[in-house]
Amino acid sequence: MSYLEMCKSDLNEYLKSALVTDGRAKTLYEAMNYSLLNDGKRLRPALCMATAETFGVSREAVLPAAAALEMIHSYSLIHDDLPCMDDDDLRRGQPTNHMVFGEAMALLAGDGLLTEAFVQLSRPLSGVSPERQVTMLHTLALRAGASGMVGGQAVDVELTGQDGTLDDVAFIHLHKTARLIQASIEIGALFPELPDEHVRALSVYGESLGLAFQMIDDVLDVVGSQDELGKTPGKDVAAAKLTYPRFIGVEETRKLAAQVIERGEQALLRVGIVSSSLQELQSVVLERTH
Ligand code: GRG
């Protein structure tokens, strides 16, 4: 089993009982679980686990934080697929949440997951001081909110169909996608007690990995097939989205992704962090086909 598969299996087991109704709002819980338990890669939780494990913290201890990250990710996908956003019928090879539950329930399922993420991250975490846990909560809110993922999505919505510049693309990618991936590593780095310079290096690495991830996503939208992606390819071009391939082409985007990751690796090397699990996940990001 690969490292990603091991993390995925641990997380999936945990998620099965993370959102259970007391008998009320059954459809909402069904809608939340429909998307949360769907077959995602679980990259963000795995990055959080890998970072903590690099410094001797067990994957099990990290599960509530890993679940919180996947809940935020899952909410963002539900909202992103809505007719008022990307208007997509397929996600992870299955009908999107609003296709099954209707728009109003999909909107609420996203809201529910966003809020439940903070329920998870505020649960008692063994071996983590209250100060570090508050920093985790702050990090998640900051990276997912208006100055992070939601802000990136807002600029993406505003600039879709317009000319835009390469700087606009960089802003959108950094915020819409990279910030949550960065948060996954930053939160993992808060489980052990690390020197500030280590935390900073991991944050830089997370940002680089997140940017490269979205660059590859842009490439896959151009070269991928529906079967491989589990969603509709070619949507970026059709919707006149601001993407790297639109400005510099597919091959240059691939090269840029590799360069950006190398910059992140240098940051880790400078402080002497070597992590085989992060290295493995990094290869998944660069070589993925879906
Ligand atoms: C608040 C109404 C409202 C909407 C918010 C913030 C937001 C909508 C959307 C976030 C933007 C977004 C969906 C970015 C795309 C990131 C991305 C490439 C997702 C795909 O991630 P993978 O490949 O997916 O890790 P799996 O399915 O493997 O989990």
Side-chain angles (χ1 to χ4, degrees):
M1 219 193 249
S2 71
Y3 185 75
L4 181 59
E5 281 164 350
M6 284 194 293
C7 295
K8 184 172 167 170
S9 157
D10 290 355
L11 180 81
N12 286 353
E13 207 42 50
Y14 181 89
L15 289 180
K16 272 187 209 162
S17 53
L19 296 174
V20 183
T21 170
D22 61 2
R24 298 295 182 97
K26 279 189 186 153
T27 312
L28 174 67
Y29 277 83
E30 210 188 310
M32 288 193 289
N33 279 315
Y34 173 80
S35 292
L36 188 63
L37 305 182
N38 214 334
D39 190 29
K41 287 186 287 298
R42 311 307 197 198
L43 178 70
R44 294 151 192 82
L47 287 169
C48 184
M49 291 170 171
T51 307
E53 251 190 333
T54 299
F55 303 97
V57 178
S58 75
R59 282 206 296 279
E60 203 193 340
V62 179
L63 280 168
L69 288 156
E70 190 64 19
M71 284 178 184
I72 298 273
H73 173 57
S74 199
Y75 118 74
S76 79
L77 299 182
I78 295 173
H79 283 187
D80 192 51
D81 290 334
L82 284 170
C84 62
M85 297 254 171
D86 266 7
D87 191 11
D88 229 311
D89 295 352
L90 263 189
R91 169 71 65 182
R92 295 169 170 171
Q94 301 291 326
T96 44
N97 199 290
H98 65 272
M99 296 296 286
V100 179
F101 296 95
E103 273 181 54
M105 198 52 75
L107 189 73
L108 292 169
D111 294 340
L113 285 165
L114 164 59
T115 318
E116 287 294 326
F118 289 93
V119 173
Q120 287 294 329
L121 195 56
S122 54
R123 289 181 59 177
L125 296 174
S126 75
V128 175
S129 69
E131 289 78 11
R132 271 187 285 141
Q133 190 164 2
V134 169
T135 307
M136 286 182 190
L137 288 158
H138 180 74
T139 301
L140 188 61
L142 200 71
R143 298 305 190 202
S147 64
M149 181 180 74
V150 176
Q153 178 81 352
V155 175
D156 191 5
V157 166
E158 270 179 344
L159 294 185
T160 291
Q162 302 202 13
D163 287 346
T165 64
L166 205 50
D167 272 357
D168 294 327
V169 183
F171 178 90
I172 291 167
H173 286 31
L174 183 61
H175 292 80
K176 179 178 85 165
T177 306
R179 290 299 184 223
L180 190 60
I181 289 177
Q182 184 177 15
S184 307
I185 291 182
E186 289 172 331
I187 291 171
L190 284 160
F191 275 85
E193 202 153 359
L194 295 180
D196 286 352
E197 56 170 10
H198 278 51
V199 176
R200 275 196 296 274
L202 284 159
S203 173
V204 170
Y205 177 72
E207 182 184 287
S208 305
L209 198 62
L211 262 179
F213 178 90
Q214 184 57 51
M215 288 170 179
I216 300 295
D217 209 71
D218 284 357
V219 167
L220 291 176
D221 188 75
V222 180
V223 304
S225 70
Q226 179 157 312
D227 275 356
E228 270 179 328
L229 298 178
K231 62 177 183 178
T232 323
K235 286 209 69 172
D236 291 346
V237 176
K241 286 238 171 212
L242 295 191
T243 66
Y244 274 96
R246 177 167 149 190
F247 287 91
I248 61 174
V250 164
E251 279 322 306
E252 282 306 309
T253 303
R254 278 195 206 277
K255 278 189 209 153
L256 194 58
Q259 282 167 14
V260 165
I261 285 210
E262 204 183 312
R263 235 183 291 146
E265 281 184 300
Q266 293 300 328
L268 291 190
L269 281 179
R270 270 196 294 275
V271 295
I273 297 176
V274 179
S275 167
S276 57
S277 39
L278 283 175
Q279 193 70 43
E280 197 177 321
L281 295 175
Q282 175 185 308
S283 305
V284 173
V285 168
L286 272 181
E287 289 151 26
R288 74 199 177 99
T289 54
H290 65 285

